[in-house]
Amino acid sequence: MASIFTKIINDEIPCYKIAETDEFFAFLDINPNAKGHTLCIPKQEVDKLFDLDEATYNGLMQFSRQIAKAIEIAIPCNRVGLTVIGLEVPHAHVHLIPLNAMEDAKFGKKESLTPEEFQAVADAIKAAL
Ligand code: 5GP
């Protein structure tokens, strides 16, 4: 069965999209630790990040770096953190999280945004790419 992220890539489930290439896709996390929390994924559906083939792994890191640079411009923050977990969704992904405090890196903490706020954040990051 297709992962929830494959359904997002295929436009079967809506998302606040940031960027897309032939191989990669970036969109806002629906339950963000902080405003601007973004997920970067390969279109290829592989569960664990470190099981990706080397070219896809390196490509995902390069793609994530470009997105992180845009987040840093668009979202006021001290820096953008990168986290890999994958316990919830078995489709490799990188979390990019704007950090101002250690609390922002903790997955218990969640930010509540309206649809309009999500869209404004996505638009701001896209504009900074
Ligand atoms: P992990 O697998 O790394 O533990 O967490 C998966 C992440 O994906 C979580 O931060 C969760 O909020 C996010 N997520 C799960 N389902 C969806 C969804 O349908 N849309 C979006 N945008 N994010 C999701």
Side-chain angles (χ1 to χ4, degrees):
M1 202 178 82
S3 76
I4 197 156
F5 289 172
T6 295
K7 289 180 181 171
I8 286 174
I9 292 165
N10 293 337
D11 220 6
E12 294 165 26
I13 292 177
C15 74
Y16 297 94
K17 181 171 151 181
I18 305 292
E20 180 175 11
T21 68
D22 286 347
E23 285 185 275
F24 306 107
F25 197 95
F27 56 105
L28 294 181
D29 193 300
I30 205 64
N31 200 12
N33 287 29
K35 200 186 266 193
H37 182 166
T38 299
L39 301 174
C40 297
I41 63 176
K43 290 186 174 176
Q44 186 190 356
E45 194 177 313
V46 169
D47 178 358
K48 298 177 186 172
L49 183 85
F50 298 121
D51 286 342
L52 290 171
D53 65 78
E54 202 171 319
T56 307
Y57 174 83
N58 288 336
L60 178 62
M61 288 302 143
Q62 202 170 25
F63 178 74
S64 300
R65 182 169 180 263
Q66 288 169 0
I67 304 296
K69 293 279 184 193
I71 295 172
E72 225 164 40
I73 292 167
I75 308 293
C77 62
N78 180 284
R79 64 194 57 232
V80 174
L82 185 157
T83 305
V84 174
I85 301 180
L87 288 172
E88 183 185 332
V89 179
H91 183 144
H93 53 280
V94 165
H95 293 260
L96 297 177
I97 306 173
L99 302 175
N100 287 299
M102 186 55 90
E103 282 300 303
D104 299 326
K106 293 184 182 164
F107 276 73
K109 184 211 173 228
K110 294 297 170 191
E111 189 84 21
S112 187
L113 301 182
T114 64
E116 293 75 21
E117 287 171 325
F118 269 115
Q119 193 57 61
V121 168
D123 289 344
I125 299 171
K126 275 191 281 189
L129 276 169

